[in-house]
């Protein structure tokens, strides 16, 4: 028994033949598809041209009808206005005295001149019912009118002009004066027709100009006839409005090959008047003209490609394998940075867990998040955001060891896998180095912009934290949350107490919600979301005030900043740092801010005139579409003058959404509310914010004030800010003044106002006694460097 084994050449030949047949079928299919594409393109182009041409004709027809209706409407209003205001002075009673004739002719001339000069008509005539001129006219005008008169007679005999509106009205008024007013208020009957006049397409309008009210003697009826030719300036205007290329008027349809003619019919009898000829915009033909060369070239290229494909069939198989490997590479790596993506990180993490399960090797997993990345994207654009991501990845990668894994999970989120961390100092040193690198400025857009973002890291140790991948990643996420809540720009190592801290924050949110539900009636959603059964007393909210003092002789108090405190029944007096993050996370910041605003405005009403109260506003409040109306309602309720309220906002608020916040701030400033920019110079400082948002005050951050006497840079920065503010006419308040040297130095630099523990610490309203008595500020002076307001 013999077994025939096909040789490699036979196999290749069979494969070649099979491939040739397949290529032939593909070629036929491709050519057929190209033919269908060409036919479809031709059909679509033809249909598009027909639709475009029909649309242009409809627009021209509609525009002509609109102009006819406009003439009728305008002369109707003109006739009515002239009757009620001008014409009665020259109106006759039908007598044939020479004086009345002269007055009638003069009035007719005035009407004619007014119609032509005020409304731009080409001709205007005042005639009687028999089309006789009732106006002063020169010889050329009379001669021209004689040619037009036979065409005007049918218009004057139109049924719509036969009866006076005063005769057909059923209205009754108790007096003759009422009759006159009612008649004057009714619009005159007017009509307008499209006709050929002097061989030109013309809109002719007719309106009676001497109608009388019911019960009054009817004089000889007089009419105003206006003429507007539409083949001159009117046609040019129509051409510009409707996009008619090279529009012209022709008496016959003598359109060229690339032109179309639109017939104009008379309104009265439908007879053709002439034609508007123009070169139509045919998008279908234009597209086909551009597409056909490309399709021809494509067909030729496809034919060449099929012949080449037959030769390169074998090599294509190898290239296909390479592309498969490349696709696998792309599937496991981030396109922007070239780092491993989430899938590859998960694979390496699983391998790490398997290897460390039965060994003493310790590894670490860390999640990293860039701080204020969204602000960079919104301020400088997505191109700058992508550049920032790439630069951050390069800096992080430079800090890591060769065997460590850095992956990009998406957006500005990164993950670290640190293998073999036997030394307890390896993880802290790497995390601290990464935080330091991300804290350095990032030059973006070829040096045109500089961003300071920073980064936060949450880390956990494997297998100390557990052996389940999901649990370990959750632990790292909890640690990252703690790092961000702690002020950002730092790293945290997971500990089991952090889970308890998260539970404690949830409890704090619920307690704050109940306190707000008890204190704030303007936000009913807070009351509805708070528990109603078994409600406990968790204390109350209070507003403390830190005074602001005018720099200069005596340093009198010019205002105060409102600062919220929570007097908790079990935890004591809580500062904003203890519960503001919980309020933001729980969606309570709007209710809390509204309550502080209302309490501060009520308190400031009792302060001396000329003082102000400053209230901090969160970005979430500014994004509320009705925030300005809420502020105005609080001012009206409390009776506080708008110029005595100062809203403090941070530059990050302006960066997040310029368009929405701009309209809110514009509405507030239009009513006199003052706007101040807090912590100026510490965020994404943009000088355009000072002008665009019309800022009234700049608050110099305490970090610059604390450098006075210690670093020369502090004085230089403050001096530059004060000079800029003075040139823009903006007030400046220096925060964190804690020594007499700082007070005197800031005054010498030109700061308008000062605030800090040197003058007073935040105190309840009952202890705020310095207003109206500048010397009492000395009694309230408390120096507490480093204390938290």
């Amino acid at each position: 028994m013999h077994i025939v084994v096909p040789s490699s050449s036979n196999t290749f030949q069979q494969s070649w033949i099979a491939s040739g047949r397949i290529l032939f079928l593909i070629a036929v299919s491709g050519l057929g598809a190209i033919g269908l594409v060409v036919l479809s393109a031709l059909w679509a182009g033809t249909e598009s041209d027909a639709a475009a041409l029909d649309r242009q004709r409809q627009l021209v027809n509609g525009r002509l009808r609109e102009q006819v209706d406009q003439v009728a409407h305008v002369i109707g209003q003109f006739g009515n206005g002239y009757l009620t205001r001008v014409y009665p002075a020259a109106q006759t009673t039908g007598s044939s005295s020479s004086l009345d004739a002269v007055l009638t002719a003069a009035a007719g001339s005035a009407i004619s001149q007014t119609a032509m000069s005020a409304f731009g008509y080409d001709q205007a005539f005042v005639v009687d019912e028999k089309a006789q001129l009732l106006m002063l006219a020169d010889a050329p005008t009379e001669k021209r009118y004689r040619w037009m008169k036979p065409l005007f007679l049918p218009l004057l005999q139109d049924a719509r002009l036969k009866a006076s509106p005063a005769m057909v009205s059923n209205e009754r008024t108790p007096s003759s004066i009422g009759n006159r007013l009612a008649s004057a208020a009714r619009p005159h009957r007017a009509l307008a027709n499209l006709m050929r006049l002097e061989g030109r397409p013309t809109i002719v309008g007719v309106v009676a100009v001497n109608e009388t009210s019911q019960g009054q003697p009817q004089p000889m009826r007089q009419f105003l006839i206006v003429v507007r030719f539409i083949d001159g300036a009117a046609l040019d205007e129509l051409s510009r409005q409707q996009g008619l290329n090279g529009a012209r008027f022709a008496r016959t349809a003598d359109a060229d090959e690339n032109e179309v003619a639109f017939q104009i019919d008379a309104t009265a009898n439908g007879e053709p008047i002439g034609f508007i000829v123009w070169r139509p915009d045919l998008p279908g033909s234009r597209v086909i003209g551009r597409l056909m060369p490309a399709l021809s070239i494509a067909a030729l290229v496809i034919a060449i490609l099929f012949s080449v494909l037959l030769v390169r069939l074998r090599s294509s198989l190898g290239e296909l394998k390479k592309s498969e490997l490349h696709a696998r590479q792309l599937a496991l790596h981030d396109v922007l940075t070239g780092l491993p993506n989430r899938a590859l990180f998960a694979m390496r993490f699983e391998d790490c867990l398997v290897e460390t399960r039965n060994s003493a090797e310790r590894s670490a997993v860390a999640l990293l998040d860039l701080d204020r990345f969204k602000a960079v994207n919104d301020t400088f654009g997505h191109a700058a955001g992508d550049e920032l991501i790439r630069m951050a990845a390069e800096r992080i990668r430079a800090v890591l060891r060769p065997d460590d894994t850095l992956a990009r999970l998406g957006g500005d989120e990164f993950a670290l896998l640190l293998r073999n961390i036997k030394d307890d100092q390896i993880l802290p040193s790497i995390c601290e180095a990464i935080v330091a690198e991300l804290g350095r400025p990032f030059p973006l857009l070829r040096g045109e912009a500089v961003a300071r973002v920073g980064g936060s890291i949450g880390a956990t140790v494997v297998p100390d934290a557990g052996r389940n991948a999901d649990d370990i990643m959750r632990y790292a996420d909890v640690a990252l949350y703690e790092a961000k809540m702690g002020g950002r720009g730092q790293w945290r190592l997971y500990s089991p107490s952090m889970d308890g801290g998260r539970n404690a924050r949830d409890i704090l949110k619920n307690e704050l919600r109940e306190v707000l539900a008890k204190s704030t009636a303007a936000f009913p959603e807070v009351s509805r979301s708070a528990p109603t059964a078994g409600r406990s007393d968790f204390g109350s909210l209070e507003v403390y005030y830190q005074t602001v003092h005018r720099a200069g002789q005596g340093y009198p108090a010019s205002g105060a900043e409102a600062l919220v405190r929570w007097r908790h029944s079990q935890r004591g007096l809580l500062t904003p740092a203890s519960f503001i993050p919980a309020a933001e996370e729980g969606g309570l910041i709007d209710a809390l801010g509204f309550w502080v605003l209302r309490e501060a405005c009520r308190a400031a009403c009792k302060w001396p005139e000329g003082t102000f109260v400053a209230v901090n506003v969160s970005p979430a409040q500014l994004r509320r579409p009705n925030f300005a109306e809420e502020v105005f309602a609080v001012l009206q309720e409390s009776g506080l003058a708008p110029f005595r309220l100062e809203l403090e906002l941070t530059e990050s608020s302006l960066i997040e959404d310029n368009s929405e916040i701009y309209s809110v701030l514009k509405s507030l400033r239009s009513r006199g509310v003052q706007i101040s920019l807090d912590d100026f110079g510490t965020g994404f400082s943009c000088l355009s914010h000072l002008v665009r948002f019309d800022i009234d005050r700049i608050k110099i951050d305490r970090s610059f004030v604390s450098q006075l006497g210690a670093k020369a840079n502090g004085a230089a920065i403050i001096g530059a800010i004060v000079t800029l503010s003075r040139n823009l006419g903006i007030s400046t308040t220096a925060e964190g003044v804690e020594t007499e040297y700082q007070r005197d130095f800031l005054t010498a630099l030109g700061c308008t106002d000062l605030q800090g523990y040197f003058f007073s610490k935040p105190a309840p309203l009952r202890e705020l006694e310095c207003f109206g008595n500048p010397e009492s500020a000395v009694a309230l002076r408390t120096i507490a460097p480093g204390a938290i307001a």
Side-chain angles (χ1 to χ4, degrees):
M1 180 177 180
H2 299 280
I3 300 176
V4 180
V5 180
S7 63
S8 59
S9 59
N10 291 336
T11 305
F12 176 77
Q13 186 176 7
Q14 294 175 358
S15 176
W16 183 272
I17 295 174
S19 300
R21 292 175 180 174
I22 294 174
L23 287 176
F24 176 77
L25 293 176
I26 293 176
V28 172
S29 302
L31 292 176
I34 292 177
L36 290 176
V37 170
V38 172
L39 293 177
S40 300
L42 292 174
W43 177 81
T46 304
E47 292 294 319
S48 177
D49 289 344
L53 185 58
D54 185 62
R55 175 63 176 168
Q56 291 185 36
R57 287 174 174 169
Q58 291 180 4
L59 291 174
V60 172
N61 188 39
R63 182 57 180 164
L64 289 176
R65 291 181 181 178
E66 181 182 335
Q67 290 189 3
V68 172
D69 294 341
Q70 182 181 12
V71 170
H73 175 73
V74 170
I75 64 173
Q77 297 294 328
F78 173 71
N80 186 47
Y82 214 90
L83 173 67
T84 56
R85 295 178 177 85
V86 179
Y87 199 83
Q91 188 176 10
T92 66
T93 61
S95 65
S96 60
S97 66
S98 59
L99 178 60
D100 287 342
V102 171
L103 292 176
T104 301
S109 297
I111 295 174
S112 173
Q113 291 299 324
T114 302
M116 288 189 293
S117 61
F119 299 99
Y121 295 116
D122 296 300
Q123 288 290 333
F125 307 98
V126 178
V127 301
D128 59 11
E129 295 178 340
K130 298 180 180 180
Q132 299 296 327
L133 277 176
L134 296 178
M135 56 180 283
L136 300 177
D138 52 17
T141 302
E142 291 183 353
K143 181 178 179 180
R144 190 176 191 183
Y145 177 74
R146 285 197 298 272
W147 287 98
M148 300 179 179
K149 178 179 177 180
L151 299 175
F152 291 160
L153 279 172
L155 292 176
L156 297 176
Q157 297 171 1
D158 194 288
R160 289 173 287 179
L161 296 175
K162 287 293 184 182
S164 170
M167 302 300 294
V168 300
S169 173
N170 292 325
E171 299 179 4
R172 295 182 179 179
T173 53
S175 65
S176 60
I177 296 177
N179 287 331
R180 287 196 298 271
L181 294 175
S183 176
R186 291 190 298 270
H188 278 207
R189 295 178 177 272
L191 60 89
N193 282 354
L194 190 63
M195 61 172 52
R196 180 158 57 189
L197 200 62
E198 296 181 346
R200 304 167 64 184
T202 310
I203 299 176
V204 178
V206 182
V207 64
V209 295
N210 68 333
E211 297 288 352
T212 61
S213 58
Q214 186 176 3
Q216 298 294 325
Q218 175 67 43
M220 175 182 62
R221 300 185 72 206
Q222 300 176 14
F223 301 90
L224 169 64
I225 301 177
V226 297
V227 175
R228 171 170 289 171
F229 297 109
I230 61 174
D231 60 345
L235 181 59
D236 294 339
E237 181 181 359
L238 178 65
S239 176
R240 288 192 302 270
Q241 292 178 349
Q242 307 301 333
L244 307 180
N245 299 323
R248 58 186 174 85
F249 175 75
R251 297 188 179 182
T252 61
D254 59 346
D256 295 337
E257 181 180 357
N258 297 326
E259 295 180 330
V260 295
F262 174 74
Q263 179 175 306
I264 306 175
D265 298 329
T267 305
N269 50 23
E271 294 182 356
I273 298 174
F275 298 86
I276 295 179
V277 183
W278 74 91
R279 294 190 306 275
D281 181 19
L282 302 177
S285 298
R286 186 169 62 252
V287 171
I288 291 174
R290 295 178 180 178
L291 190 61
M292 289 305 296
L295 289 177
S296 302
I297 295 174
L300 179 61
V301 170
I302 289 175
I304 296 174
L305 286 177
F306 274 118
S307 61
V308 173
L309 285 175
L310 189 62
V311 178
R312 298 195 55 186
L313 179 61
R314 285 183 127 186
S315 61
S316 298
L317 296 176
E319 294 176 0
L320 180 62
K321 188 168 184 65
K322 292 180 181 179
S323 64
E324 182 181 353
L325 295 176
H326 180 63
R328 180 177 177 82
Q329 172 75 9
L330 292 178
L332 297 175
H333 288 78
D334 177 55
V335 178
L336 180 62
T337 61
L339 296 175
N341 61 10
R342 186 185 297 270
L344 183 55
F345 180 81
M347 293 168 58
R348 293 185 180 179
F349 186 30
E350 288 292 344
D351 293 341
C352 174
L353 291 179
V354 172
E355 293 175 7
T356 58
R357 187 165 298 165
N358 299 319
S359 67
E361 179 184 339
R362 296 174 66 247
S363 301
V365 174
L367 295 180
L368 187 150
D369 191 49
L370 297 182
D371 300 332
R372 297 178 292 273
F373 173 74
K374 183 179 182 299
V376 175
N377 249 353
D378 295 341
T379 306
F380 305 120
H382 292 284
D386 292 343
E387 185 179 1
L388 174 61
I389 291 293
R390 286 193 294 267
M391 295 178 65
E394 292 174 0
R395 292 188 185 183
I396 298 171
R397 189 157 38 190
V399 173
L400 299 179
R401 301 169 301 173
D403 295 335
D404 295 334
T405 298
L406 171 63
R408 184 187 178 206
L409 303 184
D412 62 327
E413 300 177 2
F414 296 87
L416 300 174
L417 178 59
L418 310 178
R419 301 290 298 267
N420 192 18
I421 52 170
K422 298 178 180 180
D423 188 351
D424 293 339
Q425 297 301 318
I426 293 179
L427 177 60
S429 62
I430 291 178
C431 292
E432 291 172 1
I434 292 175
V435 170
E437 284 294 322
L438 297 179
R440 293 193 296 112
F442 286 87
L444 304 175
L445 304 177
R446 298 180 180 178
E448 296 180 3
V450 177
R452 297 178 180 271
V453 291
S456 301
I457 303 176
T460 183
V461 177
V462 181
D464 291 359
R467 297 182 181 274
N468 182 277
D470 293 337
D471 290 342
I472 295 173
M473 295 299 292
R474 185 179 66 83
Y475 297 154
D477 186 54
V478 170
L480 176 61
Y481 181 85
E482 287 291 328
K484 283 187 170 293
M485 295 303 295
R488 301 181 179 180
Q490 52 188 307
W491 76 281
R492 289 286 186 272
L493 182 62
Y494 171 78
S495 64
S497 62
M498 290 182 178
D499 283 329
R502 171 166 286 187
N503 295 333
R505 284 193 302 273
D506 293 337
I507 295 173
L508 190 66
K509 281 189 294 184
N510 293 331
E511 294 176 351
L512 181 59
R513 182 175 284 109
E514 292 196 15
V515 172
L516 283 172
K518 182 175 60 176
S519 305
T520 308
F523 285 82
E525 63 272 14
V526 176
S527 300
R528 290 195 299 267
S529 62
T532 56
R535 179 175 294 175
S536 303
D537 184 10
F538 298 110
S540 60
L541 297 172
E542 298 180 8
V543 179
Y544 277 42
Y545 299 89
Q546 186 177 30
T547 55
V548 179
H549 294 260
R550 185 75 63 192
Q553 184 66 31
Y555 297 94
S558 57
E561 179 181 0
L563 303 167
V564 66
R565 298 290 188 268
W566 182 3
R567 194 171 296 279
H568 198 281
S569 56
Q570 287 88 29
R571 307 183 187 189
L573 187 64
L574 302 180
T575 60
S578 304
F579 59 89
I580 289 296
E584 292 177 341
E585 185 179 353
L588 305 174
I589 194 67
D590 288 346
L592 181 59
F594 181 85
W595 181 85
V596 174
L597 175 66
R598 186 172 59 183
E599 294 298 315
C601 290
R602 288 176 178 175
C605 287
K606 303 176 183 178
W607 298 352
E609 290 293 334
T611 60
F612 67 90
V613 62
V615 181
N616 290 279
V617 178
S618 69
Q621 291 177 272
L622 289 176
R623 286 193 296 267
R624 291 175 60 90
N626 59 339
F627 177 69
E629 287 73 16
E630 293 173 356
V631 174
F632 298 148
V634 170
L635 290 173
Q636 184 177 6
E637 173 191 347
S638 63
L640 183 67
F643 68 88
R644 296 184 60 195
L645 174 61
E646 186 174 285
L647 299 181
E648 293 188 6
L649 49 135
T650 60
E651 288 183 301
S652 60
S653 304
L654 307 183
I655 289 173
E656 287 184 1
D657 192 351
N658 281 348
S659 58
E660 295 181 2
I661 294 177
Y662 174 75
S663 59
V664 173
L665 296 183
K666 182 178 179 181
S667 177
L668 290 169
R669 295 205 80 266
S670 66
R671 298 280 289 272
V673 177
Q674 304 293 298
I675 304 298
S676 67
L677 200 57
D678 198 8
D679 301 335
F680 183 78
T682 60
F684 295 94
S685 300
C686 184
L687 298 182
S688 64
H689 292 160
L690 303 179
V691 179
R692 171 173 169 79
F693 295 99
D694 206 2
I695 301 299
D696 298 289
R697 182 186 299 273
I698 291 175
K699 301 196 72 175
I700 303 174
D701 189 66
R702 65 179 68 245
S703 61
F704 299 132
V705 175
S706 63
Q707 295 179 8
L708 294 179
K711 295 182 179 180
N713 292 339
I717 293 174
I718 295 175
I721 295 175
V722 171
T723 302
L724 173 66
S725 303
R726 185 187 305 113
N727 292 334
L728 295 178
I730 300 175
S731 302
T732 53
T733 298
E735 296 181 296
V737 180
E738 298 181 348
T739 66
E740 185 176 357
Y741 168 77
Q742 293 174 347
R743 181 200 67 180
D744 297 340
F745 194 90
L746 292 168
T747 302
L749 283 178
C751 290
T752 58
D753 295 272
L754 306 175
Q755 180 182 359
Y757 274 65
F758 180 79
F759 297 98
S760 69
K761 63 180 180 180
L765 180 61
R766 59 183 177 273
E767 300 179 11
L768 197 66
E769 302 175 354
C770 63
F771 288 127
N773 183 11
E775 296 180 357
S776 63
V778 179
L780 291 176
R781 187 176 301 159
T782 303
I783 302 176
I788 299 177

